[in-house]
Amino acid sequence: MNAPRNAPRLAALADAPVDWRFKGLPASWAGRTPADIVGARVGLFDGDGPLGPVCVLSESAVAHNLATMARWCAERGVELAPHGKTHMAPQLLARQFEAGACAVTAATVSQVRVFRAFGFDRFVIANEVTDPAGLAWLAHELDADPGFGVVCWVDSVAGAELMTAALRRSGARRRLDVCVEVGMDGGRTGCRTTAEVDAVARAVVDSPRLRLVGVSGYEAATGQDVTQEAIDGVRAYLDGLRAAVLRLTAQFETDEVIVTAGGSTYFDHVADVLTGDWPTGSRVRTILRSGCYLTHDDGLYARTSPLSLRAALRVWGQVVSRPEPRLALVAMGRRDVSFDQGMPTPLGLPGGVVDKLNDQHAFVRLGPHDTPAVGAWLEFGISHPCTTFDKWQLIPVLDDDGIVVDLVRTFF
């Protein structure tokens, strides 16, 4: 288990006073530490309550999702390197490692640097690293710490050459582990043809600064539709990843070969296609990179996740105006909640629908029996946790009675 080696820095978050930087939290918490607030067993809405909209986590839902995903991965014979960009919260990442994660996935070197500061030392960078500054930093960390491990992507000969040149200039002694990324037509990054995959693999093997350790991809690069047609396309793409691993077997430069894919929608199909029946003697590690499973949601992943998970991330906002009979304006907007993968869902209003967001307001169209009063607090489910987390620096974790049991710090 990759427990953080800088445990004191992680523990110190409990002793950092709450102040004006952290929006939404009750004014009475100012100057108190998270440890003090948790120890006092206060409710979020005790006293005068929050200062405007506030984002919260459900402890029971987080615990359920951690246990459910860990059990599923063990049963399916896959490993999990959860995507840290979802929450950028070392406290939550520590819990993911306690539940069995093998590494943390990041999208950028800056994200690696954040988690590295808290002592995590096993990383997957789901991207081709092309900036010389980022490569120099990785080279320094690799040479300074034998326990630091990182794998990143490469999807072009030009990229392999650029990485090699930058690492040479940095004076790197350890080679950087890379996976050849297989892409899909109309998708994001990744080699589009078999010939490109093979050429990039050769360029990596020929590089004195890189080491070929596996094959990577992202099966949801063109969408997260769960129709049979879409699933057939996903499985065909995953068949291509599997074929690349088999075709490149003789070129891999480690005894353990990595094949990695898996967002938060199709990871069951990743496990189906990318486990079992590898050639005799091969040690293939199938690593998922799902990130949104931890908090799930009430929108995108409620519709598409293959597991029975619970929505753990919610945003509360207060009704500030009832200018029309079927309209409520809530003090919660684009600065507070995700909207890129669907609008927030008002909970407790059977006919309520959010049909528009301004920067600081939500337009809630009410059903005939919805009668929220001005001043009422409304709870909203969200769709796509990644773009809600990044709007909040300190998030209270509540038990099922609404008592604060932790405060989670994010570092975006």
Side-chain angles (χ1 to χ4, degrees), residues 141-211:
E141 294 297 302
L142 285 166
D143 287 345
D145 182 2
F148 176 58
V150 61
V151 180
C152 70
W153 296 178
V154 60
D155 73 353
S156 66
V157 172
E161 292 173 345
L162 187 154
M163 294 166 76
T164 300
L167 291 168
R168 182 183 292 115
R169 287 195 301 272
S170 74
R173 296 187 300 276
R174 285 177 64 187
R175 291 190 290 170
L176 178 62
D177 289 347
V178 298
C179 289
V180 177
E181 183 185 3
V182 178
M184 60 174 64
D185 291 340
R188 199 164 60 190
T189 53
C191 302
R192 295 302 200 255
T193 68
T194 297
E196 289 176 345
V197 170
D198 294 352
V200 172
R202 285 194 298 273
V204 172
V205 171
D206 290 343
S207 168
R209 294 294 189 275
L210 304 177
R211 186 170 70 155

Side-chain angles (χ1 to χ4, degrees), residues 86 334 336-341 383-391:
T86 297
R334 290 185 295 233
D336 310 304
V337 69
S338 54
F339 55 93
D340 56 304
Q341 296 281 5
S383 181
H384 193 204
C386 299
T387 47
T388 294
F389 267 112
D390 65 2
K391 304 176 191 305

Side-chain angles (χ1 to χ4, degrees), residues 20 35 39 83 86 92 95 114 140 149 175 199 211 243 264 281 283 296 309 317 349 351 386:
W20 50 265
H83 213 315
T86 297
L92 294 178
R95 294 184 66 174
V114 168
H140 175 270
R175 291 190 290 170
R211 186 170 70 155
S264 297
R283 168 74 169 102
H296 198 50
L309 303 171
L349 295 179
C386 299

Side-chain angles (χ1 to χ4, degrees), residues 300-314:
L300 173 64
Y301 295 110
R303 297 189 300 271
T304 65
S305 175
L307 291 185
S308 295
L309 303 171
R310 299 178 188 169
L313 190 65
R314 299 278 168 74

Side-chain angles (χ1 to χ4, degrees), residues 241-265:
L241 259 69
R242 185 180 184 90
V245 173
L246 295 172
R247 196 173 61 253
L248 299 175
T249 295
Q251 299 188 57
F252 294 123
E253 300 177 86
T254 54
D255 293 334
E256 292 186 333
V257 175
I258 291 171
V259 58
T260 174
S264 297
T265 294

Side-chain angles (χ1 to χ4, degrees), residues 328 346-353 364-367 369-372 378-380:
L347 306 175
L349 295 179
V353 175
V364 183
R365 298 294 169 182
L366 301 172
H369 304 295
D370 296 331
T371 58
L378 301 181
E379 183 182 22
F380 291 83

